Amino acid sequence: MKERLSAGTLIHTIDREGRETVVRNWVRQFVGLVRPASARVETVTPISIVSFNYDRLFETLVRKFWPLAEVTYPSVDECFRFIYPYGAFTGLPDTVQDVERFLNQQRAALSFMGTSELGEEVASMISNSTRVLFVGFSFAQTNMDILGVAPERGHMYHVQNYRGEDKRLDRVLIDRLGVPTKNVDQASMEGLVQNGFFELMS
């Protein structure tokens, strides 16, 4: 699916029943938003992306799209820092013929929930950040502990709760962490890039 993702501005997905869905490629839009911002400053402060997913899909697509511009921008490694508390695949091939073999090859680089060796480093990074954006994050307690999520910093958190469907998430954010309701965005990823809190980075 990666090649179809990186082919253009649209993402084509096919579910198990064979139904196709076409949506705008928000990663490409995201790159288009961040690149100009990186050129407006003398010294680039990298955006730290902490992902609890193993697949590196977001990083792979950012690296794919970043150089596709007529203007020269700072390199992707100057502008981003990708961090995987539970580890990640060493690479994401275009196709995987033998899934079991691929996963067996990769498992040495992975750890399980709550066993990250990067906990202190990630928590320090989060505590020193001026703004923290949570996207597709369920606020499971073990992952919150790794990030050092704390009520005293709740006012600095901006959180996606797609369509407001996760009522438990609302309770965690508002009751336990004191995240202002104006900082909770119900948009899709495309919406966050076009009209949502990613505007804060532009």
Side-chain angles (χ1 to χ4, degrees):
M1 182 169 127
K2 189 178 74 173
E3 284 303 306
R4 302 199 71 185
L5 279 169
S6 60
T9 59
L10 300 178
I11 299 175
H12 298 255
T13 61
I14 300 176
D15 64 19
R16 293 180 179 178
E17 283 72 41
R19 295 171 297 195
E20 184 175 31
T21 301
V22 181
V23 297
R24 293 186 66 83
N25 192 333
W26 66 266
V27 180
R28 187 164 191 156
Q29 293 177 291
F30 174 81
V31 168
L33 177 72
V34 175
R35 276 189 311 216
S38 71
R40 291 198 294 264
V41 295
E42 292 184 8
T43 304
V44 176
T45 300
I47 299 170
S48 295
I49 307 289
V50 180
S51 175
F52 290 94
N53 296 329
Y54 298 130
D55 58 28
R56 286 188 189 268
L57 181 56
F58 178 73
E59 177 184 354
T60 299
L61 293 178
V62 169
R63 292 185 181 279
K64 173 77 173 182
F65 292 137
W66 192 262
L68 302 181
E70 297 179 0
V71 178
T72 300
Y73 294 104
S75 71
V76 66
D77 289 310
E78 291 178 83
C79 297
F80 291 94
R81 182 183 179 207
F82 298 97
I83 303 164
Y84 301 92
Y86 297 146
F89 296 159
T90 55
L92 188 60
D94 294 336
T95 59
V96 177
Q97 301 295 337
D98 187 332
V99 175
E100 182 177 359
R101 181 180 178 184
F102 174 76
L103 293 177
N104 284 335
Q105 291 172 338
Q106 297 293 326
R107 65 181 179 179
L110 309 178
S111 60
F112 295 97
M113 191 171 181
T115 61
S116 175
E117 297 179 356
L118 299 176
E120 291 185 9
E121 177 184 354
V122 172
S124 175
M125 181 192 67
I126 294 291
S127 67
N128 290 320
S129 298
T130 57
R131 185 180 296 120
V132 183
L133 312 181
F134 292 92
V135 174
F137 186 68
S138 66
F139 286 82
Q141 188 61 53
T142 51
N143 292 344
M144 287 172 60
D145 291 342
I146 288 174
L147 297 179
V149 173
E152 57 267 25
R153 297 181 59 79
H155 65 285
M156 303 177 69
Y157 300 154
H158 298 260
V159 184
Q160 179 196 36
N161 183 5
Y162 181 53
R163 294 180 177 174
E165 294 176 346
D166 190 339
K167 303 305 180 185
R168 181 200 65 83
L169 181 56
D170 276 342
R171 290 196 299 271
V172 171
L173 298 178
I174 296 170
D175 297 343
R176 291 177 53 191
L177 297 176
V179 177
T181 54
K182 66 182 179 63
N183 288 9
V184 181
D185 202 317
Q186 297 184 9
S188 64
M189 291 305 305
E190 179 185 359
L192 290 180
V193 174
Q194 290 183 334
N195 310 304
F197 54 55
F198 284 126
E199 291 178 321
L200 299 167
M201 300 189 306
S202 60

